[in-house]
Amino acid sequence: MQTSGSKSAPLGYQALSTAIVKSTSAPTLRPLGRTSTAHQQSQALMCSGVMALSPVDGKLNGRMVAQGCWGTGPKKSGVFKKNLPKHITDKSKTFEAAEHPATQFRRFYERSDLPISVHHGTSPSIDWKVEPERLDYIYLLPIFFDGLCEKESPYSFLAYRGIQDMLNAARGKEPSLICPAVPSLIIPLKKALNSRDIPTMCKAINTLQHMVRCEPRAGELLVPYYRQLLPAFNLYFRSTKNMGDAIDYSQRKRENLGELISETLELLERTGGEDAFINIKYMIPAYESCMLNGH
């Protein structure tokens, strides 16, 4: 018991809870016994309506005491903090396209090193200063293929239409104009396929199909380079549109990536010789042969 003349000592947790409960006029509240838990004591303090008490230790007010908070403790030393590398928590950019692709085609075109110009009309086309079949395919065709990554006009239009004109001009020529240039086309094709940009990848795949159709012997020359070209095919092999019973009216645009990849793999297997299927199967395990199944 405290005397009237003596200085009042700070109440303990148990004594403070009992004193607050006894001082209230609520008939349903009872003094808390020694066996009551901290949660019950906190609930009793909250129900009593006493939310503003004098500081107990100079730091905590009545609301914090009523909620069962008796201090934050010492400052954490950071010994158990996990130091993760930044690349682990960064967002994966597997399916994101490059923002500003840099190509050699734009540099050559801006300094007028390419024998082409835009023919403006109802339907834009290309004016060739020299007949395409008279050009050096080993030197110029990789530059045009590098322009497949372009997204701005007129560079994207000039590169894609220029490749088509050059491939059509080389169809059926003897000796072949396309076959000697095939090894130098792998790097720009790989760059376009790894851009993760769906329109760019569709242009690259359509161009690859057009090249093999214009020169079937190029299909066999591409077999040693499947490890550079087919990883992107394996990534998007199942990226087909699930239309249900609807009609896809944009088929003429040929922008369904999954179907384009399937068509290209079948074309490569038919024109790649006897070693084509085993090499395609090694890179894309889900692919099934179109020739063994009787198609």
Side-chain angles (χ1 to χ4, degrees), residues 203-231:
K203 287 194 301 183
I205 295 174
N206 284 321
T207 302
L208 182 61
Q209 289 188 14
H210 190 47
M211 181 182 67
V212 175
R213 290 192 174 99
C214 290
E215 184 55 71
R217 288 174 291 182
E220 192 168 355
L221 297 176
L222 289 173
V223 174
Y225 304 103
Y226 282 173
R227 294 195 177 188
Q228 285 75 33
L229 300 177
L230 298 188

mmCIF file of all heavy atoms in Angstrom, residues 203-231:
data_model
loop_
_atom_site.group_PDB
_atom_site.id
_atom_site.type_symbol
_atom_site.label_atom_id
_atom_site.label_comp_id
_atom_site.label_asym_id
_atom_site.label_seq_id
_atom_site.Cartn_x
_atom_site.Cartn_y
_atom_site.Cartn_z
ATOM 1 N N LYS A 203 7.944 -11.086 -89.548
ATOM 2 C CA LYS A 203 8.622 -10.693 -90.787
ATOM 3 C C LYS A 203 9.827 -11.574 -91.060
ATOM 4 O O LYS A 203 10.071 -11.976 -92.202
ATOM 5 C CB LYS A 203 9.049 -9.220 -90.707
ATOM 6 C CG LYS A 203 7.916 -8.233 -90.824
ATOM 7 C CD LYS A 203 8.446 -6.820 -91.077
ATOM 8 C CE LYS A 203 9.369 -6.349 -89.990
ATOM 9 N NZ LYS A 203 9.823 -4.953 -90.211
ATOM 10 N N ALA A 204 10.602 -11.875 -90.014
ATOM 11 C CA ALA A 204 11.786 -12.711 -90.197
ATOM 12 C C ALA A 204 11.402 -14.129 -90.627
ATOM 13 O O ALA A 204 12.048 -14.711 -91.510
ATOM 14 C CB ALA A 204 12.599 -12.741 -88.907
ATOM 15 N N ILE A 205 10.349 -14.679 -90.030
ATOM 16 C CA ILE A 205 9.942 -16.048 -90.382
ATOM 17 C C ILE A 205 9.368 -16.088 -91.793
ATOM 18 O O ILE A 205 9.657 -17.016 -92.572
ATOM 19 C CB ILE A 205 8.927 -16.565 -89.345
ATOM 20 C CG1 ILE A 205 9.605 -16.696 -87.980
ATOM 21 C CG2 ILE A 205 8.352 -17.904 -89.771
ATOM 22 C CD1 ILE A 205 8.661 -17.068 -86.863
ATOM 23 N N ASN A 206 8.561 -15.097 -92.177
ATOM 24 C CA ASN A 206 8.039 -15.047 -93.545
ATOM 25 C C ASN A 206 9.167 -14.897 -94.558
ATOM 26 O O ASN A 206 9.134 -15.493 -95.650
ATOM 27 C CB ASN A 206 7.053 -13.889 -93.681
ATOM 28 C CG ASN A 206 5.708 -14.192 -93.048
ATOM 29 O OD1 ASN A 206 5.201 -15.305 -93.143
ATOM 30 N ND2 ASN A 206 5.119 -13.207 -92.384
ATOM 31 N N THR A 207 10.184 -14.107 -94.208
ATOM 32 C CA THR A 207 11.329 -13.946 -95.108
ATOM 33 C C THR A 207 12.109 -15.254 -95.235
ATOM 34 O O THR A 207 12.559 -15.617 -96.334
ATOM 35 C CB THR A 207 12.248 -12.841 -94.576
ATOM 36 O OG1 THR A 207 11.500 -11.626 -94.463
ATOM 37 C CG2 THR A 207 13.413 -12.621 -95.509
ATOM 38 N N LEU A 208 12.262 -15.980 -94.136
ATOM 39 C CA LEU A 208 12.954 -17.263 -94.182
ATOM 40 C C LEU A 208 12.203 -18.258 -95.058
ATOM 41 O O LEU A 208 12.816 -18.982 -95.864
ATOM 42 C CB LEU A 208 13.110 -17.809 -92.755
ATOM 43 C CG LEU A 208 13.855 -19.124 -92.590
ATOM 44 C CD1 LEU A 208 15.287 -18.996 -93.095
ATOM 45 C CD2 LEU A 208 13.850 -19.562 -91.127
ATOM 46 N N GLN A 209 10.885 -18.291 -94.928
ATOM 47 C CA GLN A 209 10.096 -19.168 -95.787
ATOM 48 C C GLN A 209 10.239 -18.778 -97.257
ATOM 49 O O GLN A 209 10.398 -19.644 -98.137
ATOM 50 C CB GLN A 209 8.626 -19.109 -95.379
ATOM 51 C CG GLN A 209 8.300 -19.784 -94.065
ATOM 52 C CD GLN A 209 6.804 -19.844 -93.829
ATOM 53 O OE1 GLN A 209 5.998 -19.620 -94.732
ATOM 54 N NE2 GLN A 209 6.423 -20.117 -92.599
ATOM 55 N N HIS A 210 10.186 -17.476 -97.531
ATOM 56 C CA HIS A 210 10.287 -17.013 -98.913
ATOM 57 C C HIS A 210 11.643 -17.360 -99.511
ATOM 58 O O HIS A 210 11.742 -17.726 -100.695
ATOM 59 C CB HIS A 210 10.057 -15.503 -98.946
ATOM 60 C CG HIS A 210 9.894 -14.944 -100.326
ATOM 61 N ND1 HIS A 210 9.066 -15.501 -101.279
ATOM 62 C CD2 HIS A 210 10.472 -13.872 -100.928
ATOM 63 C CE1 HIS A 210 9.114 -14.810 -102.391
ATOM 64 N NE2 HIS A 210 9.978 -13.807 -102.215
ATOM 65 N N MET A 211 12.704 -17.276 -98.718
ATOM 66 C CA MET A 211 14.031 -17.609 -99.217
ATOM 67 C C MET A 211 14.136 -19.089 -99.555
ATOM 68 O O MET A 211 14.705 -19.456 -100.602
ATOM 69 C CB MET A 211 15.083 -17.227 -98.175
ATOM 70 C CG MET A 211 16.504 -17.508 -98.611
ATOM 71 S SD MET A 211 17.738 -17.101 -97.343
ATOM 72 C CE MET A 211 17.351 -18.336 -96.099
ATOM 73 N N VAL A 212 13.589 -19.947 -98.696
ATOM 74 C CA VAL A 212 13.680 -21.389 -98.958
ATOM 75 C C VAL A 212 12.818 -21.769 -100.156
ATOM 76 O O VAL A 212 13.191 -22.669 -100.935
ATOM 77 C CB VAL A 212 13.255 -22.166 -97.699
ATOM 78 C CG1 VAL A 212 13.215 -23.662 -97.967
ATOM 79 C CG2 VAL A 212 14.208 -21.870 -96.547
ATOM 80 N N ARG A 213 11.693 -21.099 -100.364
ATOM 81 C CA ARG A 213 10.849 -21.403 -101.521
ATOM 82 C C ARG A 213 11.496 -20.908 -102.818
ATOM 83 O O ARG A 213 11.337 -21.543 -103.872
ATOM 84 C CB ARG A 213 9.463 -20.787 -101.342
ATOM 85 C CG ARG A 213 8.627 -21.465 -100.264
ATOM 86 C CD ARG A 213 7.180 -21.025 -100.320
ATOM 87 N NE ARG A 213 6.348 -21.780 -99.387
ATOM 88 C CZ ARG A 213 5.985 -21.341 -98.198
ATOM 89 N NH1 ARG A 213 6.368 -20.131 -97.799
ATOM 90 N NH2 ARG A 213 5.237 -22.091 -97.407
ATOM 91 N N CYS A 214 12.193 -19.787 -102.752
ATOM 92 C CA CYS A 214 12.871 -19.300 -103.955
ATOM 93 C C CYS A 214 14.106 -20.130 -104.290
ATOM 94 O O CYS A 214 14.450 -20.292 -105.469
ATOM 95 C CB CYS A 214 13.274 -17.829 -103.762
ATOM 96 S SG CYS A 214 11.888 -16.672 -103.723
ATOM 97 N N GLU A 215 14.777 -20.636 -103.285
ATOM 98 C CA GLU A 215 15.978 -21.451 -103.488
ATOM 99 C C GLU A 215 15.897 -22.659 -102.570
ATOM 100 O O GLU A 215 16.336 -22.613 -101.414
ATOM 101 C CB GLU A 215 17.229 -20.630 -103.187
ATOM 102 C CG GLU A 215 18.532 -21.366 -103.452
ATOM 103 C CD GLU A 215 18.617 -21.901 -104.880
ATOM 104 O OE1 GLU A 215 18.762 -21.084 -105.805
ATOM 105 O OE2 GLU A 215 18.520 -23.137 -105.047
ATOM 106 N N PRO A 216 15.305 -23.784 -103.038
ATOM 107 C CA PRO A 216 15.159 -24.966 -102.164
ATOM 108 C C PRO A 216 16.483 -25.504 -101.642
ATOM 109 O O PRO A 216 16.526 -26.128 -100.572
ATOM 110 C CB PRO A 216 14.460 -25.987 -103.072
ATOM 111 C CG PRO A 216 13.765 -25.158 -104.114
ATOM 112 C CD PRO A 216 14.651 -23.983 -104.336
ATOM 113 N N ARG A 217 17.592 -25.272 -102.356
ATOM 114 C CA ARG A 217 18.880 -25.772 -101.886
ATOM 115 C C ARG A 217 19.354 -25.048 -100.625
ATOM 116 O O ARG A 217 20.231 -25.545 -99.916
ATOM 117 C CB ARG A 217 19.925 -25.623 -103.007
ATOM 118 C CG ARG A 217 19.744 -26.604 -104.151
ATOM 119 C CD ARG A 217 20.699 -26.299 -105.277
ATOM 120 N NE ARG A 217 20.367 -25.040 -105.955
ATOM 121 C CZ ARG A 217 21.026 -24.557 -107.008
ATOM 122 N NH1 ARG A 217 22.054 -25.228 -107.499
ATOM 123 N NH2 ARG A 217 20.666 -23.417 -107.568
ATOM 124 N N ALA A 218 18.763 -23.894 -100.348
ATOM 125 C CA ALA A 218 19.144 -23.174 -99.130
ATOM 126 C C ALA A 218 18.672 -23.883 -97.871
ATOM 127 O O ALA A 218 19.247 -23.693 -96.794
ATOM 128 C CB ALA A 218 18.578 -21.749 -99.171
ATOM 129 N N GLY A 219 17.613 -24.713 -97.992
ATOM 130 C CA GLY A 219 17.125 -25.444 -96.827
ATOM 131 C C GLY A 219 18.160 -26.388 -96.263
ATOM 132 O O GLY A 219 18.299 -26.527 -95.037
ATOM 133 N N GLU A 220 18.935 -27.046 -97.138
ATOM 134 C CA GLU A 220 19.970 -27.961 -96.663
ATOM 135 C C GLU A 220 21.169 -27.199 -96.107
ATOM 136 O O GLU A 220 21.853 -27.693 -95.194
ATOM 137 C CB GLU A 220 20.409 -28.869 -97.818
ATOM 138 C CG GLU A 220 21.259 -30.043 -97.392
ATOM 139 C CD GLU A 220 21.442 -31.063 -98.492
ATOM 140 O OE1 GLU A 220 20.811 -30.884 -99.556
ATOM 141 O OE2 GLU A 220 22.202 -32.024 -98.294
ATOM 142 N N LEU A 221 21.403 -25.999 -96.611
ATOM 143 C CA LEU A 221 22.511 -25.194 -96.097
ATOM 144 C C LEU A 221 22.207 -24.623 -94.718
ATOM 145 O O LEU A 221 23.133 -24.239 -93.998
ATOM 146 C CB LEU A 221 22.827 -24.059 -97.068
ATOM 147 C CG LEU A 221 23.316 -24.456 -98.463
ATOM 148 C CD1 LEU A 221 23.488 -23.233 -99.335
ATOM 149 C CD2 LEU A 221 24.632 -25.230 -98.371
ATOM 150 N N LEU A 222 20.943 -24.561 -94.345
ATOM 151 C CA LEU A 222 20.563 -24.004 -93.041
ATOM 152 C C LEU A 222 20.663 -25.019 -91.907
ATOM 153 O O LEU A 222 20.584 -24.628 -90.741
ATOM 154 C CB LEU A 222 19.127 -23.464 -93.106
ATOM 155 C CG LEU A 222 18.905 -22.197 -93.926
ATOM 156 C CD1 LEU A 222 17.415 -21.911 -94.036
ATOM 157 C CD2 LEU A 222 19.625 -21.011 -93.306
ATOM 158 N N VAL A 223 20.824 -26.307 -92.216
ATOM 159 C CA VAL A 223 20.833 -27.335 -91.172
ATOM 160 C C VAL A 223 21.941 -27.112 -90.145
ATOM 161 O O VAL A 223 21.694 -27.219 -88.934
ATOM 162 C CB VAL A 223 20.931 -28.737 -91.805
ATOM 163 C CG1 VAL A 223 21.080 -29.806 -90.732
ATOM 164 C CG2 VAL A 223 19.709 -29.010 -92.664
ATOM 165 N N PRO A 224 23.171 -26.762 -90.535
ATOM 166 C CA PRO A 224 24.201 -26.553 -89.499
ATOM 167 C C PRO A 224 23.944 -25.351 -88.593
ATOM 168 O O PRO A 224 24.592 -25.226 -87.544
ATOM 169 C CB PRO A 224 25.482 -26.333 -90.324
ATOM 170 C CG PRO A 224 25.197 -26.923 -91.656
ATOM 171 C CD PRO A 224 23.743 -26.701 -91.881
ATOM 172 N N TYR A 225 23.003 -24.493 -88.973
ATOM 173 C CA TYR A 225 22.750 -23.274 -88.202
ATOM 174 C C TYR A 225 21.446 -23.338 -87.413
ATOM 175 O O TYR A 225 20.949 -22.314 -86.955
ATOM 176 C CB TYR A 225 22.709 -22.067 -89.143
ATOM 177 C CG TYR A 225 23.949 -21.914 -89.977
ATOM 178 C CD1 TYR A 225 23.950 -22.288 -91.313
ATOM 179 C CD2 TYR A 225 25.129 -21.407 -89.431
ATOM 180 C CE1 TYR A 225 25.082 -22.149 -92.092
ATOM 181 C CE2 TYR A 225 26.272 -21.269 -90.206
ATOM 182 C CZ TYR A 225 26.236 -21.644 -91.540
ATOM 183 O OH TYR A 225 27.371 -21.512 -92.297
ATOM 184 N N TYR A 226 20.899 -24.546 -87.237
ATOM 185 C CA TYR A 226 19.651 -24.672 -86.471
ATOM 186 C C TYR A 226 19.839 -24.236 -85.019
ATOM 187 O O TYR A 226 18.904 -23.720 -84.399
ATOM 188 C CB TYR A 226 19.153 -26.116 -86.511
ATOM 189 C CG TYR A 226 18.461 -26.493 -87.815
ATOM 190 C CD1 TYR A 226 18.073 -27.808 -88.071
ATOM 191 C CD2 TYR A 226 18.185 -25.538 -88.773
ATOM 192 C CE1 TYR A 226 17.442 -28.157 -89.258
ATOM 193 C CE2 TYR A 226 17.564 -25.883 -89.962
ATOM 194 C CZ TYR A 226 17.198 -27.198 -90.196
ATOM 195 O OH TYR A 226 16.566 -27.529 -91.361
ATOM 196 N N ARG A 227 21.018 -24.432 -84.476
ATOM 197 C CA ARG A 227 21.235 -24.066 -83.069
ATOM 198 C C ARG A 227 21.206 -22.553 -82.864
ATOM 199 O O ARG A 227 21.025 -22.090 -81.743
ATOM 200 C CB ARG A 227 22.566 -24.633 -82.579
ATOM 201 C CG ARG A 227 22.583 -26.149 -82.524
ATOM 202 C CD ARG A 227 23.746 -26.665 -81.715
ATOM 203 N NE ARG A 227 23.731 -28.123 -81.609
ATOM 204 C CZ ARG A 227 24.542 -28.828 -80.837
ATOM 205 N NH1 ARG A 227 25.445 -28.197 -80.091
ATOM 206 N NH2 ARG A 227 24.461 -30.142 -80.793
ATOM 207 N N GLN A 228 21.411 -21.787 -83.894
ATOM 208 C CA GLN A 228 21.306 -20.336 -83.796
ATOM 209 C C GLN A 228 19.903 -19.826 -84.082
ATOM 210 O O GLN A 228 19.492 -18.793 -83.544
ATOM 211 C CB GLN A 228 22.290 -19.661 -84.775
ATOM 212 C CG GLN A 228 23.738 -19.688 -84.343
ATOM 213 C CD GLN A 228 24.393 -21.043 -84.518
ATOM 214 O OE1 GLN A 228 24.071 -21.784 -85.444
ATOM 215 N NE2 GLN A 228 25.299 -21.386 -83.617
ATOM 216 N N LEU A 229 19.137 -20.538 -84.904
ATOM 217 C CA LEU A 229 17.838 -20.038 -85.350
ATOM 218 C C LEU A 229 16.665 -20.607 -84.561
ATOM 219 O O LEU A 229 15.669 -19.909 -84.353
ATOM 220 C CB LEU A 229 17.636 -20.361 -86.844
ATOM 221 C CG LEU A 229 18.656 -19.761 -87.817
ATOM 222 C CD1 LEU A 229 18.355 -20.222 -89.236
ATOM 223 C CD2 LEU A 229 18.663 -18.246 -87.736
ATOM 224 N N LEU A 230 16.752 -21.846 -84.131
ATOM 225 C CA LEU A 230 15.590 -22.521 -83.571
ATOM 226 C C LEU A 230 15.312 -22.283 -82.089
ATOM 227 O O LEU A 230 14.211 -22.629 -81.642
ATOM 228 C CB LEU A 230 15.689 -24.030 -83.825
ATOM 229 C CG LEU A 230 15.715 -24.458 -85.295
ATOM 230 C CD1 LEU A 230 15.606 -25.965 -85.413
ATOM 231 C CD2 LEU A 230 14.615 -23.786 -86.098
ATOM 232 N N PRO A 231 16.219 -21.745 -81.266
ATOM 233 C CA PRO A 231 15.826 -21.476 -79.872
ATOM 234 C C PRO A 231 14.628 -20.542 -79.751
ATOM 235 O O PRO A 231 13.765 -20.747 -78.889
ATOM 236 C CB PRO A 231 17.091 -20.856 -79.273
ATOM 237 C CG PRO A 231 18.202 -21.462 -80.039
ATOM 238 C CD PRO A 231 17.684 -21.595 -81.436
#
